[in-house]
Amino acid sequence: MTSVEFLIDIYNKLNNQERRLTFTPMYNGNWWLSCNNNAFGALYDNQLCLQNNQFLGSLLDNPELIKVYVDKKAHHLMYVIPIGREVESLDAIYQNAYDGNDFVYDITYTSPGATILEEFYDKNVVFLKFCFEHKLLKKYPLDKKDRIIRMTYHKKHLTEKGKKVFRSLLFNFLEFYDRNGKTSLDIMLHKWLKKLEV
């Protein structure tokens, strides 16, 4: 769980006219962190955590990696940013994100566990197909049998519209967990995209 005081402290340190920070509630009282509508990390158990990325790892001399849980099973590996290096780290990862070859999404990077792997794969089929149909991806992501063609996406695979909203839509998708099974993922994707397009 992350305290409101820690969130405010990070906001005061990092938010400015060039870097507009927003926070979205996530599992277990923690927060996703977005910068200019691009998701880059999380506030997790009163720690600033940013994407596992070779560029950032080299900059910080390979800091600690921890599992940031999306729900009880699924997680991301993220770097814990040392105190005093928050501004430098966010600036570096944000600038690197606009390199044409930058990592956007690796389906294998999120590790939901074998028990729900098939369900997670099927949800990615829905997500990627939705992204293509709404002009976020340049190429159709599935083969003739509705199997995912590529497991890793970079900025070059996104349309101009996709570069603006794909990351935020992705984080909404990854944190979505309907315990009752009553809410359609497709319906939620439409709602999330509509909010991002405003």
Side-chain angles (χ1 to χ4, degrees), residues 87-123:
V87 174
E88 172 190 10
S89 298
L90 183 61
D91 279 348
I93 200 170
Y94 184 74
Q95 290 168 10
N96 185 248
Y98 290 92
D99 181 319
N101 295 318
D102 182 58
F103 160 81
V104 175
Y105 181 39
D106 182 349
I107 294 169
T108 63
Y109 173 65
T110 301
S111 305
T115 56
I116 57 170
L117 188 58
E118 184 176 346
E119 180 185 352
F120 184 67
Y121 182 92
D122 292 344
K123 286 181 178 179

Side-chain angles (χ1 to χ4, degrees), residues 26 31-33 39-44 47-53 56 60 62-70 75-81 93 103 109-110 171 174:
M26 62 180 280
W31 301 83
W32 290 118
L33 165 67
F40 286 106
L43 302 186
Y44 195 77
Q47 300 172 103
L48 172 62
C49 301
L50 296 178
Q51 294 174 356
N52 178 5
N53 161 302
L56 188 58
L60 299 176
N62 296 316
E64 179 187 3
L65 276 170
I66 65 167
K67 294 178 180 179
V68 173
Y69 281 87
V70 177
H75 66 266
H76 294 282
L77 284 174
M78 292 189 184
Y79 285 119
V80 177
I81 304 305
I93 200 170
F103 160 81
Y109 173 65
T110 301
F171 267 57
L174 290 174

